[in-house]
């Protein structure tokens, strides 16, 4: 049975959804932008810094469930300007072991929440839970 949860460090979503849905096998994290983060407003417009803050938040959220960025199997990225993909990629790649990158889609979306430049959604394999 899935568990629907919100990250207690972030505001409750303003949309009918959850920050995370966790089942026995996967952690699904809704699209995250710096507009969702209380410390994100200062970096809006700098795709590298926005990417860095979002990846750190995703890492923290996965750690809440006993996982890490290494458990991510799929990523969806939306950029307001697809020409910024190389700048985004230089930061994004730092968070994964070379050659072990998740499957990924990257699209251009002209309007993202809170005026952000990037939105990232992830699906991560949940670490095996020991029998209790």
């Amino acid at each position: 049975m899935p568990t629907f949860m919100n990250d207690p460090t972030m505001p409750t979503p303003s949309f009918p959804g959850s920050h995370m849905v966790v089942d026995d096998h996967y952690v699904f994290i809704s699209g995250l932008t710096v507009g969702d983060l209380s410390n994100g407003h200062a970096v809006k417009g700098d795709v590298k810094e926005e990417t860095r803050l979002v990846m750190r938040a995703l890492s923290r959220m996965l750690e809440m469930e006993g996982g890490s960025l290494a458990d991510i199997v799929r990523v969806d990225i939306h950029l307001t300007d697809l020409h910024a993909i190389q700048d985004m990629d230089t930061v994004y790649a730092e968070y994964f072991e070379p050659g072990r990158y998740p499957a990924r889609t990257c699209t251009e979306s002209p309007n993202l929440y809170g005026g952000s430049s990037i939105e990232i959604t992830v699906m991560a394999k949940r670490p095996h839970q020991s029998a209790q």
Side-chain angles (χ1 to χ4, degrees), residues 42-103:
V43 302
K44 278 187 194 171
D46 181 338
V47 74
K48 287 183 175 183
E49 287 305 309
E50 287 190 33
T51 303
R52 193 167 282 113
L53 278 179
V54 169
M55 292 302 292
R56 286 178 187 158
L58 292 168
S59 177
R60 182 184 43 73
M61 293 169 82
L62 290 169
E63 287 171 8
M64 289 171 39
E65 290 303 309
S68 72
L69 293 174
D71 298 315
I72 296 175
V73 294
R74 177 162 172 70
V75 177
D76 292 318
I77 297 175
H78 305 283
L79 293 168
T80 56
D81 180 1
L82 205 50
H83 292 102
I85 195 168
Q86 289 181 321
D87 287 339
M88 181 275 299
D89 275 342
T90 61
V91 174
Y92 174 86
E94 295 171 5
Y95 290 88
F96 299 98
E97 182 181 327
R100 295 190 48 87
Y101 302 109

Side-chain angles (χ1 to χ4, degrees), residues 1-2 12 19 24-25 33 38 41-42 56 61-62 69 75 79 82-83 87 89 93 96 103 105 111 125 132:
M1 189 74 146
T12 302
H19 291 140
D24 292 340
H25 303 285
T33 71
S38 61
H41 301 288
R56 286 178 187 158
M61 293 169 82
L62 290 169
L69 293 174
V75 177
L79 293 168
L82 205 50
H83 292 102
D87 287 339
D89 275 342
F96 299 98
T105 299
N111 297 302
K125 186 82 171 119
Q132 296 185 21

